[in-house]
Amino acid sequence: RAGAVFEAQDVANIVNAFVSAGRADKALFQELAEVTMLLPPFEFSPQAIANILNAFARAGMLSQALCEFMSLAALALDPQAYTAQHVANIANAFAKADVEDRVLLEYLSSTALRLPPHAFSLQAVANILGAFAHFGVKDQPLYNYLSYVIQEDV
């Protein structure tokens, strides 16, 4: 039934609007999380995943169950659908919520390594590095690549 009324981007937009308005109602957000988890994972774009995760994280209401569901949705997507900003936002949201998902982090790392250096903003590099450091991930190939990206930008 949720899919008949809501799409993934609808949830992202609603949650972000409530957070921006300073109205993070716990009961409403729990309901929106449940609606989100009723949607088919293939309906999510990387942008919707990033927006939903970050809005719930900003509100301090990102649950383990929602993180696990969003991780499955993220893992189901073609890596070519991702931008550097998507990788950064998703990794950063998991770090904000302090929910470690090594499988997702490995996927995000391999996705980032496929992107051209010019695809990264300095903020995206910082957010990716910060999220991986938050979890103590020692991903030398990713760190080397992001160092190269920064050097290309200087």
Side-chain angles (χ1 to χ4, degrees):
R1 167 161 146 56
V5 178
F6 286 95
E7 293 179 1
Q9 193 60 48
D10 295 328
V11 174
N13 293 340
I14 291 167
V15 172
N16 270 310
F18 272 97
V19 171
S20 295
R23 302 290 304 178
D25 178 85
K26 187 173 183 171
L28 173 63
F29 274 46
Q30 286 175 337
E31 184 71 23
L32 288 169
E34 290 173 21
V35 166
T36 301
M37 292 184 285
L38 290 173
L39 296 172
F42 61 83
E43 277 197 19
F44 291 85
S45 67
Q47 187 66 45
I49 293 168
N51 287 349
I52 289 169
L53 286 169
N54 277 293
F56 277 93
R58 281 180 27 219
M61 296 186 198
L62 187 54
S63 68
Q64 180 76 30
L66 183 58
C67 282
E68 289 171 3
F69 178 82
M70 298 308 308
S71 176
L72 290 174
L75 292 167
L77 292 171
D78 182 340
Q80 292 183 2
Y82 285 86
T83 66
Q85 196 62 49
H86 296 140
V87 171
N89 289 347
I90 292 169
N92 192 46
F94 273 77
K96 278 185 194 174
D98 199 27
V99 175
E100 186 173 357
D101 184 332
R102 290 287 172 138
V103 173
L104 178 63
L105 290 173
E106 288 174 19
Y107 177 79
L108 293 175
S109 173
S110 67
T111 299
L113 290 168
R114 290 184 180 108
L115 295 168
H118 69 270
F120 291 85
S121 67
L122 294 177
Q123 180 184 4
V125 171
N127 285 346
I128 293 167
L129 290 172
F132 277 66
H134 176 82
F135 295 118
V137 174
K138 308 282 190 239
D139 188 335
Q140 204 57 51
L142 178 64
Y143 295 160
N144 290 343
Y145 183 64
L146 294 177
S147 294
Y148 169 75
V149 166
I150 293 168
Q151 292 171 10
E152 288 292 301
D153 217 28
V154 175

